[in-house]
Every structure is written in structure tokens, then in C-alpha cells.
Amino acid sequence: MKIVALTKAAVPLSSAIRIDPKTGTLVREGVPLTSNAWDRDAVEFALKLKDKYGGEVIALSMAPPSGIPALESLIGMGVDRAILASDRVFAGADTWATAHVLAKTIEKYVPDYDLVVAGEETIDSTTAHIGAQTASWLGVPYVYYVYDAEIKGRTLIARRFLEDEGVDEVFEVEMPAVISVLKGSQVPREVRLSRKLNAREYIQIVSNKELGLEPDCVGLRGSPTVVAGMAPATYPPRKKVVIQGEPAEVVKKLVEILKQEGVL
Amino acid sequence: MPCSLWPPVNKEEYKGVWVYLEREGSRLKDVGLELLGKARDLAQKLGGAEVGGVIVAGTEEMAREAVYHGADKVVIIDNPDLKVYTPAEYAEAIAKVVGKYKPEIFLIGATKRGRELAAYIANTLTTGITADCTALEIDPKTCDLLQIRPTFGGTQLATIRTPQRRPQMASVRPGVFPKPPRDTSRTGQIIVEKVEIAKRRTRLVSIEKRLEKDVADLPPVESADVVIAGGRGLGSVEGFKLLIDLAKLLGGTVGASLMAVRAGWAPHTRQIGQTGKTIRPKLYIAVGISGAIQHLMGIMETKTIIAINPDPHAPIMENADYAVVGDYKQILPLLIEEIKRLKS
Ligand SMILES: Cc1cc2nc3c(=O)[nH]c(=O)nc-3n(C[C@H](O)[C@H](O)[C@H](O)COP(=O)(O)OP(=O)(O)OC[C@H]3O[C@@H](n4cnc5c(N)ncnc54)[C@H](O)[C@@H]3O)c2cc1C
Ligand SMILES: Nc1ncnc2c1ncn2[C@@H]1O[C@H](COP(=O)(O)O)[C@@H](O)[C@H]1O
């Protein structure tokens, strides 16, 4: 089993996200990028399959060099090796152009892959696009929201959960295939420091010199979607009426408000 | 130079605003009908363009329902192999129909299945797609679709375009746009298309409804007009029971902060916020919730917010219409009693 785990270097779930009050953008300075929280579920899922069926787990990220520490900690989790696709021309990519680079990297560096696992979505862009787009680029079948799987020959038997319908489905998928792993469904294993210490040895950095993709088809230039504008989101202003005092009095006021709101 | 992998597009050939109409069993999901309403609005702004719908393995009755909700034309994809949903095969068939009819805009409801299909369809058509749009407009100058979505944790709204590719694609969560009225006097064309797909590589083995252990038999947070949410400040699952009582009295439901979910008082499906649900109820009552930005992001579009918290400086108090300074343990039992009295 050769499993590629797609992992994005993102702002960690454990650290508080800070928003610059002037620009309204995410403060990235001083925030170490770590793997997208939901991608650690994907990595855990891949490692479990490896524990059961043997083989190799390769983490793949497209990111600037600041994404290296994220890959190092995945190596610490037990990933065999990692590939960082990193090049200035990849900057500003939308999901089409990102999946393009990821798929071409897989085809060139892990041509004999059996399975690609992605996280359900990233916590910073939350599109859930990349898994399906990578499947489309690779020309292989795919299933999202998987939380358990078995392998029989060349078939992946994947169990998944659709939260909005409250439904469990089991699919047989011909491999090679792409799956996304249901967020929160795994308990990612601990990072072992002994392994993380010399993790850098297991990370291969590939640039577009090696990949040889047309510069017009990657990064900002290769993105069909274009960010045309950014404005602070405005929400209805709040009344900010402070209510305090004896509980009985407070309750009286609350009842009035509930009536006013038409729920009583 | 545009990317050479992009087949040339003649924009003149692309006309109309189309919608994917997802089925659940033998009926159409509401989100598709909601999008037909939005599609009508966009089509009008495009000078009276046609509104279309695509159903996989649907019936004429479903197609008529789509017409009643605003479609001028509905394509039913007819292929016995597609009776049962599988992602790659459905996406391939839908992409074929969209590729044939060439709408200039194609919208998809961002249900779990919709999110699974959307990006694959876009890739097959070598076009872009924007996820989870909260507003869609037509640029009066270029007639391009402006795809507006929250980003950077909901603090910013990004406006995204697809200037060079067609169709312009966007996904939209259920409940973002209102469902248009059902007008049975509307007429439209219903077309049955036989669509071939390549070799099937995904098969459904089984499907079963999960009997989820939930805190109460209450509606999901996305669909309730009144949501009463609890946080770490409740201190115990006993506190949550008070919220359930109150929710039942007000015909609402219960939600939770991340911390309350972590404490095991409510399932993840009830979490409100950045990594949970975004909701737009008429009334939100936050009990024992501090109002961290990640939590607030999920309730920004609520009409009225009431917060109950002993800390007058908790961020939720600054972001509430009514900031009740106090201990929920003293207030809620009295409130519940009083409402019961009023109702009896
Ligand atoms: C990337 C990221 C994503 C996140 N996503 C989410 C998300 O989707 N949803 C979410 O909720 N959080 C999210 N969080 C976590 C968020 O930052 C906060 O940690 C969390 O919302 C706090 O939960 P809380 O308000 O229940 O707990 P606390 O912050 O501990 O607040 C408890 C509150 O209860 C009050 N209280 C105490 N006693 C009483 C009493 N007797 N009566 C009434 N009030 C009382 C206290 O004054 C306090 O204000 C996320 C964080 C990160 C970094
Ligand atoms: N830059 C990236 N490098 C590697 N994998 C990525 C990248 N961006 C997204 N992914 C993968 O695609 C999944 C869905 O991401 P998204 O479409 O951004 O919500 C993530 O959980 C990752 O597994």
C-alpha cells in the first residue's frame, strides 16, 4: 500500500487566531504554520491502514518553505517521508491550480500510489475542493467523509458518514482512488520527538524546475477564479442593552423581550 | 497567455443560469429550489436569461416541481446505472449535461453530497468554482457573476470572479437564499437525456440511517428560529438540561460552543462557530459562552442575540442585543417557571 496524504500548512487550531483590527486580515506573523487540524485526521487514517496492510505513507504539501515544520511533525507522527512542492510561481493559486500541482507531483514522484487521502476541509479556506479536484486531475474515483476502511485486493471498502442526512454509506471503490477523511473522526497519534529530530532528512523539496509545469497553468496566473475585492464583513449592529439586578426582575424583563421577539 | 490546458471558450455560446437539483429519495432537496429562486433573480439581471435545472435519475413530477419554483427548462439525466448515488459517476454525468447545454452560470447546493460533487464537476469542465457563497450578484459592467463568500474567519467578504472560463460556478449552503413561492401556473420544458458514463468504479454496498445519540429530540441548529446555546460556563451536563427545557418551551433547539462539545455535553453536530455551524436564527440565547471570535463568526447574521453571563466584560456581552449580567443557575429556572405559568 502506497498512500499519499495531502496536508496543508495552516494556522493551528490550538493557537488563538488573531485578526488585525485595521486590515481585518489574519495575523500570520509569529504564528507557526502547522498541518491543518483536519489533515492530521487524514494522516492518522493513512497510518492506520499502513499498520494493518503494510506499505508507505507519504505526506504531500504545496506551500512556501515555512511549511516545512508542519511536515516535520507529521514525520514525527510516523509518516515515512514527505514531499513539499514549493516554488514562487505556485503562489496565489486557487483550488484548481493547487490541485494541478498536487496531482502532477503525485504522478511524477509517487506514480505507483494506491490511495490519496485528504482532510475534509482546511480550517482557513474551508472549500473541500482539493480532494475532488485532485481525483479529477488523476482521473480516479473518489469518496468524501470516510471514517473507516478495509482493503480487499484492489478494492477499498470505505465507510462514510453524511452528517446532514444522518446516514452511513459503504462504498466499494476501485483503487487507485482518492478519499477525504471525516473531520474529527480520528484521534491523531502523538508526535515522537526522537523521530521528529532528524525529520528534515525525510523531506524532499521539489520546485517547478523538477515538475516542469507551464507557468501559465499554476499559481495566480493558472487560477480560473480571481479575487476581485475584499471588504470587511458588516453585520447588523447590536443594541447592547445591559440587563442586571435581582433574578426575578431580570426574568420579568426577559419575558418582555421574548414577547417582543415574537417567540412567546 | 492563458494556460494552454484551458480549452478556448467562446463566451457568447454560454447562456442561462442553471442549478443542480439534488434529490433525497423521491423528492428534491430544498436547497435546489432555493437556488432556482436566486437563479431567476440573476437571470433577470442578465436581461431575461433562461433558468435551467439538472436532476439525476429524477421523475417528471420532480421536474414539474422545479418548474413551479422557477425553472424554464429541466433536464432529467436518464441512466439506469445512476439510480443510486456515487460521487464520481454523478459528477461525470452532470458535467456532461452542463457541457452540452452551456449555461453561463451553474449553481450547486453545498450539502455534503453537493460539496463532494461540485469541485469535480468544475474540474471536468476546466472552470473555476467558489465554495459556500453567501451572496451572488451580476457585475453591471462585465455581466460576470460576482461570487461573494466570507473569508479570513468571517471577518472579510471576498468577491470572486471567473473572468476567462465558463460556466461560472458557485456552491451555496442550504438556507442562505429563501425558497421561492410555488407557482403551479408556471410552465417549462422537461427534457429526458440519456447520458452514458465511463466504466463504473464506485459501488454502493449499503446505506443506513444512523440513530445518533443526541442530547434531545430537537431539530438541528441550522433549521431552528430560536437557538439556545451553552458553553463551558454551564459547568455540567445538568446545566444543558435547563437549556433543553427552555428550547422546548420556545419551540427552538439547543446549540453549543466548542468547549461544551469538548466537555461531552452536546454532539459536534450542534457546535456553533468557525469549525461548527453558521446559523441565522431569529433569536440566539448564549448561556455561559464567552463569545470568542471563532464562536461569534457562527452567529453574526442572527437577528437578536441575548447573552447570559456573570462577566459583564465577556466579548459576547459586547456583541449582544441584550446582555444579561448574572448566573444562569439563578435566572433560567425562574424563567422556565414563568414561561410555563404564562402558557398554562
Ligand atoms: C481555529 C479555531 C477554531 C475554533 N472554532 C470554534 C467554534 O467553531 N466554535 C466555538 O464555540 N469555539 C471555537 N473555538 C474556540 C474558541 O476560541 C473558544 O475557546 C470557545 O468558544 C470558548 O468556549 P466557551 O465560551 O464555552 O468557554 P469559555 O471561554 O471558558 O467561557 C465560559 C463563559 O461562561 C461564563 N460563565 C461562568 N459561569 C457562569 C454561570 N454560572 N452562568 C453564566 N455564565 C457563566 C464565563 O464568564 C465565561 O464567559 C475555536 C478556536 C480556534 C483556535
Ligand atoms: N496546499 C495544499 N497542499 C496539500 N494539500 C492540500 C493543500 N490545500 C488543501 N489540501 C488538501 O485538501 C483538503 C481540502 O482542502 P480545502 O479544499 O482547502 O478545504 C485539505 O484537508 C488537504 O488534505
Side-chain angles (χ1 to χ4, degrees):
Chain A
M1 273 294 279
K2 242 185 205 171
I3 308 174
V4 178
L6 302 181
T7 64
K8 182 178 181 180
V11 177
L13 195 62
S14 55
S15 88
I17 282 187
R18 283 176 301 138
I19 309 288
D20 183 328
K22 276 205 205 92
T23 60
T25 54
L26 210 60
V27 179
R28 290 181 195 271
E29 288 80 58
V31 182
L33 296 181
T34 66
S35 303
N36 171 39
W38 311 129
D39 296 351
R40 285 198 286 268
D41 284 333
V43 167
E44 174 60 33
F45 192 86
L47 289 172
K48 265 195 208 144
L49 285 179
K50 181 195 158 180
D51 293 345
K52 201 161 159 197
Y53 301 100
E56 195 186 10
V57 176
I58 303 130
L60 169 60
S61 267
M62 183 185 95
S66 56
I68 290 175
L71 290 176
E72 285 176 345
S73 74
L74 297 181
I75 302 251
M77 259 178 85
V79 162
D80 295 284
R81 59 189 172 97
I83 304 173
L84 179 71
S86 193
D87 198 302
R88 269 172 203 283
V89 293
F90 298 161
D94 73 355
T95 58
W96 188 89
T98 302
H100 181 202
V101 170
L102 295 173
K104 293 298 166 189
T105 308
I106 294 170
E107 282 174 348
K108 179 152 187 178
Y109 291 94
V110 201
D112 52 345
Y113 72 97
D114 299 294
L115 187 65
V116 175
V117 300
E120 181 175 329
E121 61 184 21
T122 49
I123 60 170
D124 46 3
S125 25
T126 60
T127 71
H129 282 174
I130 300 286
Q133 279 164 321
T134 304
S136 162
W137 275 104
L138 293 171
V140 302
Y142 71 106
V143 178
Y144 272 15
Y145 323 115
V146 174
Y147 68 92
D148 198 9
E150 242 181 279
I151 290 159
K152 285 216 174 100
R154 297 300 298 155
T155 305
L156 181 83
I157 303 163
R159 179 174 278 274
R160 63 102 158 249
F161 178 55
L162 291 176
E163 196 201 68
D164 52 358
E165 292 178 21
V167 151
D168 260 5
E169 290 180 324
V170 178
F171 288 103
E172 280 176 3
V173 192
E174 270 175 36
M175 293 195 292
V178 174
I179 59 168
S180 85
V181 174
L182 183 70
K183 66 181 181 189
S185 70
Q186 311 294 312
V187 183
R189 58 195 69 182
E190 296 291 313
V191 173
R192 274 182 297 141
L193 272 178
S194 58
R195 236 190 103 73
K196 199 182 153 189
L197 231 45
N198 47 5
R200 187 63 187 78
E201 284 172 38
Y202 303 103
I203 301 173
Q204 179 184 10
I205 300 180
V206 302
S207 72
N208 203 35
K209 221 165 63 212
E210 288 88 42
L211 286 169
L213 303 174
E214 202 183 303
D216 286 324
C217 300
V218 296
L220 192 62
R221 275 150 75 191
S223 296
T225 61
V226 174
V227 179
M230 197 69 94
T234 52
Y235 298 101
R238 297 293 164 195
K239 294 196 190 85
K240 298 183 194 175
V241 177
V242 177
I243 298 172
Q244 51 191 345
E246 286 305 310
E249 248 170 74
V250 168
V251 166
K252 221 158 110 200
K253 284 188 188 146
L254 277 175
V255 167
E256 253 166 59
I257 294 165
L258 294 178
K259 280 184 179 157
Q260 219 174 286
E261 295 296 324
V263 299
L264 260 189
Chain B
M1 278 280 287
C3 167
S4 72
L5 300 173
W6 295 352
V9 157
N10 176 5
K11 287 195 198 171
E12 301 299 307
E13 284 177 15
Y14 289 80
K15 289 196 170 70
V17 185
W18 284 48
V19 172
Y20 170 56
L21 300 163
E22 188 183 333
R23 270 186 302 117
E24 184 163 11
S26 57
R27 54 173 281 274
L28 296 177
K29 281 190 178 167
D30 275 350
V31 67
L33 305 177
E34 291 160 14
L35 289 182
L36 283 175
K38 188 67 203 178
R40 277 243 73 85
D41 166 47
L42 296 172
Q44 196 199 335
K45 288 178 180 147
L46 286 167
E50 176 185 76
V51 170
V54 181
I55 314 177
V56 183
T59 59
E60 260 185 49
E61 198 187 329
M62 290 178 207
R64 264 198 308 276
E65 211 49 45
V67 170
Y68 296 160
H69 286 88
D72 302 312
K73 189 183 269 177
V74 179
V75 173
I76 300 174
I77 294 177
D78 177 31
N79 176 335
D81 275 352
L82 293 174
K83 284 233 147 50
V84 171
Y85 174 88
T86 52
E89 288 76 14
Y90 263 51
E92 183 191 333
I94 296 163
K96 276 206 175 137
V97 166
V98 175
K100 174 173 174 183
Y101 286 86
K102 295 192 166 48
E104 78 188 280
I105 295 170
F106 187 57
L107 307 175
I108 299 185
T111 59
K112 291 292 172 188
R113 292 187 204 271
R115 297 190 103 205
E116 182 173 50
L117 294 173
Y120 193 99
I121 296 171
N123 238 60
T124 308
L125 297 165
T126 11
T127 190
I129 171 158
T130 302
D132 300 335
C133 293
T134 50
L136 296 168
E137 303 286 346
I138 299 294
D139 180 356
K141 268 198 224 117
T142 59
C143 287
D144 276 357
L145 178 68
L146 302 177
Q147 305 145 40
I148 298 155
R149 83 179 299 245
T151 184
F152 293 124
T155 60
Q156 302 279 300
L157 283 178
T159 301
I160 293 164
R161 292 170 188 272
T162 314
Q164 300 188 51
R165 310 300 304 159
R166 289 293 178 271
Q168 305 162 86
M169 283 183 59
S171 72
V172 177
R173 297 262 173 141
V176 170
F177 297 124
K179 189 161 116 182
R182 183 172 187 268
D183 175 359
T184 50
S185 70
R186 279 193 51 90
T187 54
Q189 192 186 356
I190 297 172
I191 303 164
V192 177
E193 279 274 352
K194 298 235 179 276
V195 179
E196 296 302 318
I197 50 163
K199 192 172 151 275
R200 164 175 291 281
R201 288 174 297 177
T202 330
R203 266 169 299 270
L204 181 73
V205 180
S206 70
I207 176 165
E208 61 202 69
K209 196 97 184 156
R210 226 190 233 198
L211 294 169
E212 266 242 289
K213 209 172 67 187
D214 201 350
V215 280
D217 185 21
L218 288 169
V221 287
E222 304 92 306
S223 62
D225 279 344
V226 180
V227 177
I228 300 160
R232 178 151 63 188
L234 291 178
S236 73
V237 74
E238 293 308 310
F240 228 93
K241 294 200 179 124
L242 285 175
L243 304 195
I244 293 168
D245 289 347
L246 185 59
K248 285 188 174 156
L249 284 171
L250 299 179
T253 194
V254 293
S257 75
L258 175 68
M259 289 309 166
V261 171
R262 287 224 178 125
W265 302 334
H268 175 70
T269 49
R270 296 200 173 272
Q271 184 188 317
I272 314 291
Q274 183 189 10
T275 47
K277 300 284 164 62
T278 300
I279 56 171
R280 303 167 183 79
K282 291 205 184 99
L283 177 65
Y284 186 72
I285 308 182
V287 187
I289 291 176
S290 63
I293 178 72
Q294 297 88 1
H295 184 84
L296 294 177
M297 270 156 43
I299 55 168
M300 291 293 194
E301 289 169 62
T302 301
K303 191 177 148 274
T304 302
I305 298 176
I306 300 177
I308 303 178
N309 198 310
D311 176 5
H313 304 296
I316 189 80
M317 306 297 253
E318 290 289 304
N319 288 282
D321 294 288
Y322 302 99
V324 179
V325 185
D327 181 346
Y328 85 93
K329 285 184 204 149
Q330 296 182 343
I331 296 165
L332 286 194
L334 282 182
L335 180 64
I336 289 168
E337 226 174 87
E338 180 62 15
I339 295 174
K340 279 189 182 152
R341 201 182 58 82
L342 286 172
K343 288 205 160 186
S344 66

